[in-house]
Amino acid sequence: MPLPIINSFASWVLKQRIHQIELFLKYPNEVQEELLLDLIRTSEHTVVGKQYEFSTIKSYQTFTERVPISTYEELQPLIERTRLGEQNVFWESPIKWFAKSSGTTNAKSKFIPVSNEALEDCHYKGSKDLLCLYLNNNEDSQLFLGKSLRLGGSSQIYEDNNSHFGDLSAILIENMPMWAEFSSTPSNKTSLMSEWESKIAAIISETRNENVTSFAGVPSWMLVLLNRVLESAGKDNLLDIWPNLEVYFHGGVNFSPYREQYKKILPKKDFKYYEIYNASEGFFAIQDLNNSSDLLLMLDYGIFYEFIPMDTFGTLEQKAIRLAEVELNKNYAIVITTNSGLWRYLIGDTVRFTSLDPYRIRVTGRTKHHINVFGEELMVENTDQAIAKACMLTQTEVIDYTVAPIFMQDKEKGAHEWIIEFKKKPLDINQFQKALDDSLQTLNSDYEAKRYNNMTLNPLVINIARENLFYDWLKDRNKLGGQHKIPRLSNQRDYLEQLKEM
C-alpha cells in the first residue's frame, strides 16, 4: 500500500475516536461514576473485594467510607502476593506484568501491577488518543509518511515466579501491537538495550537514515540524544537530518526549562509540541490543543479520580473529593482507582485545574518534591517556570537543577540553596540570581511574602555545577535514561549534599 494512502487511512481510523471523547467531555461526572461502579462490580470476588464487601457498595459515599486511601507501602503486601503467583487478590483477571518504578528517590523499587485491561484500555488507548487529538487539530499532517523516534527506558524484562517486571516503556514495547512497531524507530531490540551509552550509539546509527517525522520521550534525555545526533552528523539543525519533522510528543518532566534549547535545534516555526501525562500507574491526560500547556484529563481509561487539596494534605483535616467538586487553580494530590486493582492509591503527583469544562490540568509537582520549610509552599511548577524566565532574560541555558532549604541557625535566617548545571553560563551570575529570585516572587505569593525585606528568607544561593554533575550522579545510581530524573525540590538537604560532595 503506498505511504500516502497509509497516512490517510491511519488518520481516518484514529479520528473515529473523537466521538467517544466528546461523550465524556459532555458527561464527565456521569462517566466517572459509572466507571467506578464497574470497577467495583468487576472485583467483588477478589480478596480486596471481599474484605471491603464490594458486593454491597452502591455509591461513591459508601466506597469512601469503606476503602482507605493507600500509599504503595500499604499496598505492597498484596502486590507481593500476586508477584509470587497468587491471583484474584486485588483484580479479577490474572496480572503477570509489573512496572518497576524508575524514580530517583526510593531506595526500594516499587512494582506497580499492570493488567491486560490497563495495557489495552489505558496505556495503548492513550497513545492512540494522543495521535487522534493531534491529527484532529492538524488536518495536513504527514505523520504516517515517516516514523516516530522513541526513547524509552533502559531496562530489560525480568521473570520471577512466572511474573514479569521492568520499566513501563519496556513492558509497552514487549506487548506492543504491530501497527505501533511498524511506525516506530529504533527497533525493539535497540529500544530495550540496557547500557545507556551503547544504546545512544545504536539509536543514532539506526535512525539517521530513517524518515523521522516525530519524537517521543522525556525532554531531558531526548535532548541528550538529539545533541549527540547533531554532533555525529556535524550539523546544528535537526531539519538538515530529518526535514519532515513536525511534532515532539513529550512528558515526564516540565518542558519549560528546555523549550528554548529545542527551538534552537528545531528552528521551524510551525513545529508542534504535544505534552502527555502518564506514569507506571496509568495514562492520565493529553494536550488536546495546539500551542497549549493544558492537558485534557482522560476520563474513560478505566481510572477513577479523586483529589486531596494540598492545603490539608497530610493533616487531620485531609479529605478526598471527586472530580465534580474540584476548583480552579488549587493544588491537589491525585488519588486513583484503576483497572489494575489499585484502590484509592496515592500516586504522589500534584496537579491544578486550569479549566472545569472540559477538565484540563497542569502537573505542578510531587507531594514529596516541594519546599515548605518556612511556609513558602514552593512547587516544582514555580521553579521550572522561574528558571525558564531567568534563562530568557539572561540569554542562559540550563541542563538541570535541584533546590533544598538552608535551615535557620541561631539568629541567621533561612534561604533556598540551588545547584544549577548550565549548558550556557550567565555572563553575570548575580544578574541571573536576581532574575531567578524576582521570577519566583512573581509566581508564588507565599515565597514573595517570606522574601519581603528578607523578613524570613534571605536571597537564594546558587552553586554552579561542574559539567555532567547530574549525569554522573544518576550514573552512579544506575539511573541513566528513561523516566529517571533529578529530584528538583526537597524539604531535606540529602540530595543537595550528595551532589556537592561530587
Side-chain angles (χ1 to χ4, degrees):
M1 192 184 291
L3 282 175
I5 296 176
I6 292 174
N7 187 66
S8 300
F9 178 71
S11 299
W12 178 82
V13 168
L14 287 164
K15 285 194 279 190
Q16 301 312 299
R17 164 74 173 140
I18 285 292
H19 303 299
Q20 293 171 301
I21 292 173
E22 287 169 350
L23 182 68
F24 77 67
L25 292 179
K26 192 173 182 182
Y27 304 106
N29 301 308
E30 292 84 347
V31 165
Q32 278 280 283
E33 298 287 323
E34 186 179 332
L35 191 154
L36 174 63
L37 293 175
D38 283 347
L39 292 172
I40 292 169
R41 293 287 81 77
T42 301
S43 303
E44 285 181 4
H45 303 296
T46 62
V47 171
V48 169
K50 290 173 182 174
Q51 179 184 354
Y52 297 117
E53 298 180 3
F54 279 7
S55 61
T56 59
I57 295 180
K58 310 293 182 190
S59 68
Y60 170 71
Q61 182 66 34
T62 310
F63 175 67
T64 60
E65 289 167 0
R66 289 194 195 166
V67 183
I69 291 171
S70 300
T71 61
Y72 179 81
E73 288 69 28
E74 289 160 330
L75 294 181
Q76 188 179 17
L78 292 174
I79 290 171
E80 283 304 305
R81 283 169 64 175
T82 302
R83 284 191 67 215
L84 291 170
E86 186 180 349
Q87 295 295 344
N88 209 39
V89 178
F90 42 79
W91 187 244
E92 63 143 12
S93 62
I95 290 185
K96 298 291 178 70
W97 295 95
F98 294 86
K100 188 178 177 183
S101 69
S102 54
T104 54
T105 58
N106 292 302
K108 288 185 79 173
S109 293
K110 296 179 182 178
F111 293 89
I112 305 298
V114 182
S115 67
N116 288 333
E117 291 89 341
L119 281 173
E120 291 302 324
D121 300 333
C122 184
H123 292 290
Y124 291 135
K125 191 173 181 179
S127 299
K128 286 186 278 189
D129 281 354
L130 171 63
L131 296 173
C132 164
L133 289 164
Y134 173 74
L135 294 167
N136 197 56
N137 291 334
N138 300 280
E139 296 285 344
D140 299 329
S141 169
Q142 303 293 300
L143 200 63
F144 291 104
L145 292 184
K147 294 189 174 184
S148 175
L149 195 165
R150 63 189 179 196
L151 181 60
S154 306
S155 289
Q156 297 171 324
I157 297 292
Y158 300 92
E159 186 173 350
D160 185 23
N161 294 304
N162 204 30
S163 69
H164 308 269
F165 66 90
D167 275 4
L168 176 68
S169 55
I171 291 172
L172 295 178
I173 289 169
E174 191 78 20
N175 293 277
M176 186 181 283
M178 195 173 292
W179 65 266
E181 186 176 350
F182 172 76
S183 61
S184 303
T185 187
S187 64
N188 286 1
K189 183 181 177 184
T190 299
S191 293
L192 292 170
M193 287 175 69
S194 293
E195 206 284 308
W196 173 251
E197 292 294 342
S198 306
K199 176 174 177 170
I200 290 290
I203 291 174
I204 292 170
S205 171
E206 205 170 307
T207 61
R208 190 182 297 156
N209 297 317
E210 290 278 11
N211 177 25
V212 174
T213 53
S214 68
F215 302 136
V218 176
S220 49
W221 294 113
M222 182 61 80
L223 196 57
V224 172
L225 170 63
L226 297 179
N227 281 322
R228 297 274 187 94
V229 168
L230 289 170
E231 196 179 302
S232 69
K235 307 282 187 184
D236 56 14
N237 183 340
L238 286 168
L239 298 168
D240 290 340
I241 302 167
W242 299 304
N244 298 315
L245 282 171
E246 59 175 87
V247 61
Y248 173 29
F249 301 114
H250 62 87
V253 297
N254 191 312
F255 192 56
S256 298
Y258 304 102
R259 189 177 298 277
E260 293 306 313
Q261 293 181 62
Y262 274 91
K263 283 183 179 177
K264 276 191 174 179
I265 59 176
L266 276 163
K268 183 179 180 181
K269 281 190 175 179
D270 60 348
F271 187 83
K272 303 290 192 302
Y273 297 92
Y274 262 64
E275 187 170 350
I276 61 169
Y277 171 31
N278 68 335
S280 299
E281 294 87 352
F283 201 122
F284 308 126
I286 300 171
Q287 179 180 326
D288 66 318
L289 302 169
N290 286 341
N291 307 313
S292 168
S293 299
D294 297 344
L295 307 177
L296 180 68
L297 194 63
M298 306 304 283
L299 303 178
D300 64 348
Y301 285 4
I303 299 173
F304 178 79
Y305 293 98
E306 296 175 87
F307 303 89
I308 302 172
M310 281 301 288
D311 52 11
T312 61
F313 181 80
T315 70
L316 292 174
E317 288 76 43
Q318 173 179 303
K319 181 180 182 293
I321 58 175
R322 53 186 154 179
L323 191 61
E325 300 170 74
V326 298
E327 299 173 34
L328 283 176
N329 297 316
K330 284 185 72 171
N331 271 313
Y332 294 100
I334 303 183
V335 177
I336 57 172
T337 292
T338 77
N339 54 2
S340 282
L342 295 173
W343 298 96
R344 303 197 82 198
Y345 177 73
L346 192 64
I347 63 172
D349 288 344
T350 61
V351 300
R352 64 181 172 85
F353 283 84
T354 57
S355 163
L356 301 181
D357 185 19
Y359 287 105
R360 290 197 182 98
I361 60 171
R362 289 195 186 188
V363 182
T364 54
R366 301 276 294 165
T367 54
K368 292 181 180 177
H369 292 192
H370 65 283
I371 301 181
N372 192 30
V373 173
F374 312 102
E376 66 274 52
E377 287 286 359
L378 199 67
M379 308 293 290
V380 173
E381 183 189 36
N382 303 147
T383 54
D384 278 344
Q385 289 180 3
I387 210 158
K389 188 174 180 184
C391 283
M392 187 180 68
L393 291 171
T394 60
Q395 302 298 297
T396 304
E397 293 176 7
V398 163
I399 291 171
D400 225 324
Y401 71 89
T402 194
V403 193
I406 298 174
F407 296 105
M408 293 177 176
Q409 279 192 323
D410 301 323
K411 293 182 180 179
E412 189 59 44
K413 292 165 186 156
H416 289 173
E417 184 172 4
W418 293 61
I419 297 180
I420 304 176
E421 184 177 347
F422 292 97
K423 183 180 180 185
K424 181 183 174 187
K425 292 180 183 176
L427 294 173
D428 183 343
I429 190 64
N430 293 321
Q431 182 192 5
F432 180 87
Q433 183 263 352
K434 186 177 186 311
L436 182 57
D437 202 38
D438 289 348
S439 297
L440 283 171
Q441 293 184 53
T442 303
L443 291 162
N444 184 311
S445 57
D446 291 319
Y447 180 80
E448 181 184 35
K450 302 300 179 289
R451 282 284 296 114
Y452 180 70
N453 286 339
N454 297 346
M455 197 174 293
T456 305
L457 285 175
N458 281 328
L460 58 86
V461 175
I462 294 178
N463 300 285
I464 299 177
R466 66 166 174 81
E467 188 178 354
N468 291 329
L469 173 65
F470 291 105
Y471 185 94
D472 291 343
W473 186 80
L474 288 170
K475 188 175 182 179
D476 280 355
R477 287 153 182 78
N478 196 28
K479 291 183 179 293
L480 289 179
Q483 298 289 321
H484 302 296
K485 39 195 176 272
I486 297 295
R488 294 266 166 95
L489 304 183
S490 175
N491 272 329
Q492 305 299 325
R493 292 182 58 83
D494 306 24
Y495 307 125
L496 190 118
E497 294 296 348
Q498 289 168 17
L499 285 156
K500 285 177 83 170
E501 285 176 17
M502 293 179 69

